[in-house]
Amino acid sequence: MMLRTCRVLCSQAGPSAGGWQPLSFDGGAFHLKGTGELTRALLVLRLCAWPPLVTHGLALQAWSQRLLGSRLSGALLRASIYGQFVAGETAEEVKGCVQQLQTLGLRPLLAVPTEEEPDSAVKTGEAWYEGNFSAMLRCVDLSRGLLETPGPTGNILMQLKKELTSWIRKPGASLELSPERLAEAMDSGRDLQVSCLNAEQNQHLRASLSRLHRVVKHARAQHVRLLVDAEYTFLNPALSLLVDALAMRWNSPGEGGPWVWNTYQAYLKDTHERLRRAAEAADRAGLAFGVKLVRGAYLDKEREVARHHGTEDPTQPDYEATSQSYSRCLELMLTQVSHRGPMCHLMVASHNEESVRQATKRMWELGIPLDGPVCFGQLLGMCDHVSLALGQAGYAVYKSIPYGSLEEVIPYLIRRAQENRSVLQGARREQKLLSQELRRRVLGRGLRVPH
């Protein structure tokens, strides 16, 4: 869940007379953090960059519990990985994390730590989906409750993972499952029957639509905007269909801007074209358009699935091609924002310094306010040298923060780490900057004076 704080940040209406001044991501903003925080960050990031730890994380967790006992094992996790990447377990712990972020000029994006792929029989029934539904509602309420001075502007957002099943992609289903029909079914409450689905599947589809509609309705009442995560390519068509249906109902101009955002993954070959079509369609329909732009996290799994089925690899051939795709998508969306204003919102979700620099420079050139429809997003506990520099410069910056108990969150974190190996292993520059700052403090040179 992303939530805009009550702190007023500076806004810039257009290019300043002094010309473009690029941000410096040299770790200078680390003066805002304590030595203990920096030490833990360096230790945890180095551990997470060690491939065996990520690969065998779940097994190592079980082994440590048997060897050390649940209490000691839990204490070690709380002092390290859990403490680095998780906001807390209770509402008070989460609130403490949020307040700390706010003092640094950052904003929290609460993420429901639910799994998108049911991996056991227990996670395939309506009871499991209803549990996820309840978790999403609690996340909406928690996000709203964290606001000290709630207002009517609706600038809270929530990161949402939803249950999907591949049966929506059955042959013939697309002829009956249009966004318009789904939106009408959600709004009217009338039964929806799809001929290519059996009675049980139709019942599950109706229950899923009802849950999604209730989540958005509740979030809208609480002034919370929803960011829907992208998934694997074999799930994304169904996901996009449901997001389009929700957008038709909740992203109309009279509703006050985009309440439902979709996520676009630049590492897929067709992303720029799909994003262009979606932006143009929203413009033609007069709908607000919200986008979270990411590079993507499922590279190895996508290539493995393509090899297994003998299909074309849907991903970009290398990192450079992915970066070029991200740059093109970023340019497309910033141009859309400059033309459509508050009817188009963008989150630049990236740990890449060059992508962030490109975004800030183009915002300046296009006259997009620093605290306007464009914001930035990074993971809690990572890329702080970029997040802090952006926040101190007055940009809207959000840290994605999961929350929950050790039992809920640690498996979730390990799976996310396995999906984001390249990000973790690529954090060497951040480790270098952390080491330099800690070395400077140990040598007694005092705190760095911010520029």
Side-chain angles (χ1 to χ4, degrees):
M1 207 167 285
M2 190 190 341
L3 113 94
R4 192 177 296 276
T5 72
C6 57
R7 178 180 178 184
V8 178
L9 298 181
C10 63
S11 181
Q12 183 172 303
S16 64
W20 163 245
Q21 294 294 328
L23 293 176
S24 176
F25 302 131
D26 62 356
F30 280 153
H31 76 276
L32 297 167
K33 307 199 79 173
T35 301
E37 293 177 278
L38 299 181
T39 302
R40 182 183 67 188
L42 179 59
L43 174 63
V44 171
L45 290 178
R46 282 183 173 173
L47 285 173
C48 290
W50 188 43
L53 181 65
V54 175
T55 302
H56 306 293
L58 290 172
L60 289 171
Q61 181 198 10
W63 176 81
S64 69
Q65 284 183 331
R66 288 195 301 269
L67 182 66
L68 303 175
S70 296
R71 180 173 297 182
L72 181 55
S73 174
L76 289 174
L77 285 172
R78 285 184 178 277
S80 55
I81 295 174
Y82 182 96
Q84 182 69 14
F85 299 123
V86 183
E89 180 173 355
T90 66
E92 284 304 310
E93 289 174 343
V94 174
K95 186 174 182 179
C97 176
V98 168
Q99 290 173 341
Q100 185 179 19
L101 288 176
Q102 290 175 342
T103 63
L104 297 173
L106 307 177
R107 311 172 184 192
L109 168 63
L110 297 188
V112 185
T114 57
E115 293 299 316
E116 68 280 354
E117 281 190 293
D119 53 12
S120 70
V122 177
K123 295 184 178 181
T124 57
E126 287 297 315
W128 185 73
Y129 294 127
E130 283 293 327
N132 278 350
F133 167 68
S134 297
M136 292 170 192
L137 293 183
R138 289 194 299 272
C139 195
V140 171
D141 291 335
L142 177 58
S143 180
R144 184 61 177 179
L146 291 172
L147 276 180
E148 295 178 1
T149 56
T153 55
N155 283 325
I156 315 165
L157 291 90
M158 167 182 165
Q159 187 171 311
L160 171 67
K161 285 182 179 287
K162 67 161 67 73
E163 73 276 4
L164 291 170
T165 48
S166 57
W167 49 260
I168 292 182
R169 299 186 67 194
K170 282 191 172 184
S174 60
L175 301 177
E176 299 182 72
L177 290 173
S178 66
E180 294 81 3
R181 191 179 181 201
L182 293 183
E184 181 184 1
M186 285 189 285
D187 213 19
S188 66
R190 290 196 295 267
D191 282 351
L192 179 69
Q193 294 289 335
V194 180
S195 61
C196 67
L197 304 179
N198 61 36
E200 182 181 358
Q201 291 170 334
N202 268 300
Q203 182 180 0
H204 177 55
L205 176 59
R206 290 193 296 270
S208 297
L209 291 176
S210 174
R211 279 189 290 267
L212 293 172
H213 185 64
R214 282 183 286 165
V215 167
V216 183
K217 185 176 181 180
H218 182 65
R220 175 65 181 87
Q222 298 293 325
H223 301 286
V224 174
R225 303 184 193 273
L226 305 179
L227 281 74
V228 182
D229 281 348
E231 302 296 350
Y232 299 106
T233 51
F234 62 83
L235 291 176
N236 277 339
L239 176 61
S240 294
L241 175 66
L242 294 178
V243 172
D244 288 346
L246 291 168
M248 291 194 68
R249 171 60 182 85
W250 295 102
N251 286 359
S252 60
E255 292 290 345
W259 293 97
V260 180
W261 302 30
N262 206 352
T263 297
Y264 289 83
Q265 303 157 298
Y267 79 142
L268 298 177
K269 295 175 182 176
D270 65 347
T271 293
H272 183 270
E273 179 61 22
R274 287 190 298 106
L275 180 58
R276 183 190 63 78
R277 292 198 305 264
E280 291 176 355
D283 194 11
R284 285 195 304 269
L287 297 174
F289 190 48
V291 167
K292 182 173 80 167
L293 182 61
V294 303
R295 273 176 166 73
Y298 307 122
L299 181 65
D300 293 338
K301 180 68 175 289
E302 292 287 4
R303 289 176 173 172
E304 179 185 338
V305 170
R307 284 194 299 268
H308 179 74
H309 293 285
T311 57
E312 181 184 355
D313 182 355
T315 65
Q316 298 287 353
D318 51 40
Y319 186 82
E320 181 59 33
T322 298
S323 293
Q324 291 175 3
S325 172
Y326 194 95
S327 179
R328 292 180 66 213
C329 292
L330 181 58
E331 179 63 29
L332 187 156
M333 281 305 302
L334 290 173
T335 302
Q336 286 284 321
V337 170
S338 70
H339 290 164
R340 301 194 67 198
M343 288 289 286
C344 188
H345 286 239
L346 169 67
M347 171 178 275
V348 183
S350 176
H351 289 191
N352 184 280
E353 295 178 17
E354 289 308 311
S355 295
V356 173
R357 284 198 182 94
Q358 177 193 353
T360 57
K361 183 176 182 180
R362 290 296 289 146
M363 287 173 65
W364 179 82
E365 292 171 345
L366 295 169
I368 300 172
L370 271 66
D371 197 24
V374 177
C375 60
F376 295 83
Q378 285 102 30
L379 299 174
L380 180 70
M382 292 190 67
C383 205
D384 283 348
H385 64 296
V386 173
S387 303
L388 293 171
L390 285 167
Q392 293 301 298
Y395 292 90
V397 190
Y398 294 88
K399 300 295 274 190
S400 178
I401 52 176
Y403 64 96
S405 66
L406 280 170
E407 293 74 18
E408 293 172 322
V409 178
I410 291 300
Y412 170 87
L413 288 178
I414 291 173
R415 290 190 177 96
R416 299 295 79 78
Q418 290 169 349
E419 294 166 355
N420 289 276
R421 291 172 190 270
S422 61
V423 174
L424 290 167
Q425 292 173 9
R428 295 185 182 90
R429 172 165 163 75
E430 185 174 4
Q431 294 177 40
K432 179 181 178 181
L433 293 173
L434 286 165
S435 296
Q436 289 175 350
E437 176 65 14
L438 287 169
R439 189 180 303 113
R440 186 187 56 76
R441 294 188 186 189
V442 169
L443 294 177
R445 297 174 185 170
L447 289 178
R448 184 197 303 262
V449 178
H451 299 291

